[in-house]
Amino acid sequence: MNATPGAFIQYACAANQTATDDLFIKHLLTNIAQENVDISDMFNSVSNAVSRESKNKQRPLSINGLPKKKQIILNPLKSKSKKLRIIPRIAKLNE
């Protein structure tokens, strides 16, 4: 199956397999709340956990058509520290 440009498709299991016991959903919910993680990395973690727990009886399938050079970050962290805007001051000398 070819990847559709700009799309990321995730299946709970590969062809000729059966998804059982909501295993995929369990690991998706565990991983989707992670902060500052790339979507590909998150689904890779989900897939590895599902495969491991099912002893490779269920292997999720990802079809990634997202741009290779652009990360899609889930739950990006917002910086708690405010950026300081530095405004140069010019001192006037009394002559």
Side-chain angles (χ1 to χ4, degrees):
M1 190 179 304
N2 293 330
T4 302
F8 188 100
I9 301 167
Q10 181 67 49
Y11 294 97
C13 60
N16 302 317
Q17 291 185 339
T18 302
T20 58
D21 299 325
D22 297 324
L23 190 57
F24 178 81
I25 296 297
K26 170 185 156 183
H27 289 289
L28 176 63
L29 292 175
T30 300
N31 285 275
I32 203 164
Q34 290 181 31
E35 294 178 331
N36 229 31
V37 65
D38 181 74
I39 191 169
S40 300
D41 295 338
M42 190 273 301
F43 277 115
N44 190 33
S45 294
V46 170
S47 296
N48 288 339
V50 170
S51 295
R52 185 174 45 254
E53 189 170 329
S54 71
K55 297 182 172 79
N56 289 319
K57 291 179 182 172
Q58 181 178 340
R59 293 184 313 277
L61 173 66
S62 299
I63 301 172
N64 188 350
L66 298 174
K68 301 285 185 212
K69 294 182 181 180
K70 184 179 178 185
Q71 284 189 314
I72 307 296
I73 302 296
L74 300 176
N75 308 314
L77 289 175
K78 292 181 182 178
S79 176
K80 290 183 181 179
S81 62
K82 295 180 181 177
K83 290 185 178 179
L84 297 177
R85 184 173 172 206
I86 299 172
I87 302 171
R89 300 181 99 198
I90 300 172
K92 294 183 180 180
L93 300 175
N94 291 331
E95 295 182 72

